[in-house]
């Protein structure tokens, strides 16, 4: 396994639309190793989600996971060629950060519930209904596949906050770094 370098804000690869993964490639050694590397890189940062374009590979593959037994926890998940097939009507505002956007946090409003269909790391179809931080993370990671970052989703840039001030004034609220 290996820790991969992360593309940062300004790197054009973060603005590209990612290519679909050929399902026949999913079970290859190379792609399985890449998925392991994504998880290792995510945990090393540490973060709770990482999309392939963030490690300079523009394919529709993301990994996410948040350990623990709190209400924010969700299982390690691999989404390949994901599609959101349902958005809940309710919107929720959460702080977001991103491993490609160093030192900044901002509030983003997104649907509170999503249902996503994708292939898993075995190439099997999966269908997940997610709420809470899981739903935020799925939407944030899938944005990376269409060249979007959380700052693009901020309706009000006045909440954009540097990390030191975030810790000082806002840290009580949960902060995914995805
Ligand atoms: Ni991100």
């Amino acid at each position: 396994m290996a820790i991969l370098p992360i593309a940062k804000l300004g790197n054009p690869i973060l603005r590209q639309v990612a290519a679909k993964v050929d399902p026949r490639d999913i079970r290859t050694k190379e792609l399985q190793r890449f998925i392991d590397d994504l998880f290792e890189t995510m945990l090393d940062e540490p973060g709770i989600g990482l999309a392939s374009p963030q490690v300079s590979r523009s394919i529709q593959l993301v990994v996410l996971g948040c350990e623990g037994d709190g209400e924010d926890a969700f299982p390690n998940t691999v989404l390949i060629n994901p599609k959101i097939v349902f958005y809940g009507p309710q919107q929720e505002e959460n702080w977001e950060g991103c491993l490609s956007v160093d030192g900044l946090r901002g509030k983003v409003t997104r649907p509170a519930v999503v249902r996503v269909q994708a292939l898993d790391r075995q190439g099997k179809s999966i269908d997940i209904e997610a709420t809470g931080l899981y739903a935020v993370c799925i939407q944030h990671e899938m944005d990376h596949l269409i060249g979007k970052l959380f700052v693009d989703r901020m309706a009000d840039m006045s909440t954009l906050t540097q990390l030191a001030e975030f810790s000082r004034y806002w840290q009580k609220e949960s902060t995914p770094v995805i």
Side-chain angles (χ1 to χ4, degrees):
M1 296 220 284
I3 289 169
L4 306 169
I6 295 193
K8 302 291 182 175
L9 182 67
N11 187 321
I13 200 151
L14 294 174
R15 295 309 191 173
Q16 289 174 19
V17 176
K20 278 206 158 190
V21 176
D22 184 334
R24 289 169 300 184
D25 292 338
I26 294 174
R27 297 181 72 130
T28 61
K29 250 191 192 154
E30 193 278 326
L31 207 74
Q32 292 296 314
R33 189 175 309 132
F34 177 63
I35 292 168
D36 290 338
D37 289 346
L38 279 174
F39 273 117
E40 194 184 10
T41 305
M42 178 186 92
L43 291 172
D44 179 65
E45 285 288 329
I48 60 168
L50 188 60
S52 297
Q54 291 182 276
V55 296
S56 301
R57 188 162 173 179
S58 194
I59 59 171
Q60 293 181 26
L61 192 163
V62 307
V63 303
L64 46 155
C66 186
E67 286 188 329
D69 44 18
E71 60 171 23
D72 279 348
F74 55 84
N76 279 351
T77 307
V78 177
L79 301 176
I80 299 170
N81 301 338
K83 223 188 251 165
I84 292 181
V85 295
F86 172 76
Y87 289 98
Q90 209 181 318
Q91 304 278 314
E92 217 168 71
E93 188 182 59
N94 289 284
W95 285 101
E96 292 188 27
C98 179
L99 297 177
S100 294
V101 184
D102 287 341
L104 291 176
R105 300 288 182 269
K107 279 187 172 180
V108 182
T109 300
R110 299 183 188 272
V113 180
V114 291
R115 188 173 150 207
V116 62
Q117 291 177 347
L119 300 175
D120 69 8
R121 70 179 297 166
Q122 271 80 47
K124 277 188 288 187
S125 296
I126 50 172
D127 191 322
I128 298 168
E129 189 172 280
T131 59
L133 185 56
Y134 200 13
V136 172
C137 193
I138 286 172
Q139 291 174 83
H140 176 117
E141 294 315 324
M142 285 183 63
D143 272 352
H144 279 299
L145 304 181
I146 54 166
K148 294 280 183 199
L149 300 170
F150 79 90
V151 286
D152 305 321
R153 299 298 191 195
M154 291 177 64
D156 177 1
M157 294 300 282
S158 73
T159 65
L160 193 65
T161 302
Q162 291 201 14
L163 215 48
E165 305 296 3
F166 181 79
S167 311
R168 187 167 170 200
Y169 293 107
W170 308 104
Q171 188 78 72
K172 290 156 281 179
E173 303 179 49
S174 74
T175 325
V177 183
I178 41 197

